[in-house]
Amino acid sequence: MANTDTTAEARPAAAASDPRMALLAPLVAWLVPGAGHLIQKRWIRGLVLMACVVTMFTLGLAMDGKIYKPNTGDLLEMLAFVSDLGAGGLYILGRMMDWGTGSIINATADYGKTFIVVAGLLNIMCMVDAYHIAIGKKP
Amino acid sequence: MILALQVSHFTAAVTFALFASVVFGITQRNNPRDMLRYGAYCFTVFVLGMFAAGWVMWLLHH
């Protein structure tokens, strides 16, 4: 009984009043990095996560990094595409604006490609964290 | 992109370590104090690991 009370105390008010947050938070976090935290009123965490993911993605593009498209050729390119897709709205924007289409011709472009891939992976971590907050697993 | 940002491997690696560590800290710990400590720990491990890997590659090369 005491254990149940502790869980209820740890659960955020947003999730307790609206169970749809468990679905909405990761979805919003995918579309806009950090927004999954912002809609649950975790302002500082949300803004810091947003700054990190957006800056990494932008630096990757500035270094002439490549944004991978869906393909069935090379396994590593398929994995890179899945990672890039994790950046959500940034990935969609990049594809719409035709950014990151150059070939990887130097070391800097390779660093840029890595930054973009990792920005996507970090955003997936943000999505999972937003989900954990929504279900009350994390304060 | 016409003018690509040119950075050294070291600068790129430290920048990478910084942003990755901040996200690790926030997502893997529950309170602000632990987040800061874990973020700093991750950053230190990233940077020390980079130097260690650099020396290993130097030794393999020579």
Side-chain angles (χ1 to χ4, degrees):
Chain A
M1 187 67 187
N3 197 11
T4 308
D5 291 343
T6 308
T7 309
E9 281 171 16
R11 183 169 295 152
S17 63
D18 188 1
R20 288 173 299 179
M21 188 62 81
L23 184 66
L24 188 65
L27 184 66
V28 172
W30 179 69
L31 280 171
V32 182
H37 290 74
L38 294 177
I39 62 168
Q40 297 180 85
K41 296 184 172 59
R42 268 64 175 186
W43 307 111
I44 297 173
R45 274 189 252 176
L47 288 173
V48 173
L49 291 174
M50 180 184 284
C52 287
V53 175
V54 172
T55 306
M56 276 203 87
F57 195 88
T58 308
L59 281 174
L61 286 176
M63 290 180 207
D64 232 359
K66 180 179 177 180
I67 296 180
Y68 286 90
K69 296 174 181 168
N71 67 85
T72 54
D74 184 7
L75 178 64
L76 289 177
E77 289 203 2
M78 289 162 67
L79 290 172
F81 161 69
V82 174
S83 305
D84 280 4
L85 197 60
L90 294 173
Y91 178 81
I92 295 167
L93 181 68
R95 288 293 305 277
M96 281 172 59
M97 302 300 286
D98 219 18
W99 292 332
T101 53
S103 301
I104 301 171
I105 53 170
N106 54 36
T108 308
D110 195 40
Y111 306 154
K113 176 261 296 178
T114 307
F115 270 56
I116 294 170
V117 165
V118 174
L121 294 173
L122 292 177
N123 197 40
I124 293 172
M125 290 179 73
C126 297
M127 289 166 59
V128 173
D129 195 51
Y131 173 74
H132 283 161
I133 294 170
I135 63 171
K137 192 174 177 182
K138 185 175 177 181
Chain B
M1 193 143 311
I2 298 167
L3 285 173
L5 180 67
Q6 297 293 324
V7 293
S8 68
H9 196 158
F10 178 76
T11 307
V14 171
T15 310
F16 175 98
L18 177 69
F19 290 122
S21 301
V22 171
V23 175
F24 282 9
I26 291 176
T27 58
Q28 303 301 308
R29 291 294 181 269
N30 288 341
N31 63 68
R33 185 185 170 87
D34 287 346
M35 287 175 188
L36 273 173
R37 290 180 65 173
Y38 188 66
Y41 168 76
C42 287
F43 182 76
T44 307
V45 170
F46 268 128
V47 174
L48 291 180
M50 179 176 68
F51 278 106
W55 277 109
V56 168
M57 285 188 277
W58 184 85
L59 288 170
L60 288 173
H61 184 67
H62 287 81

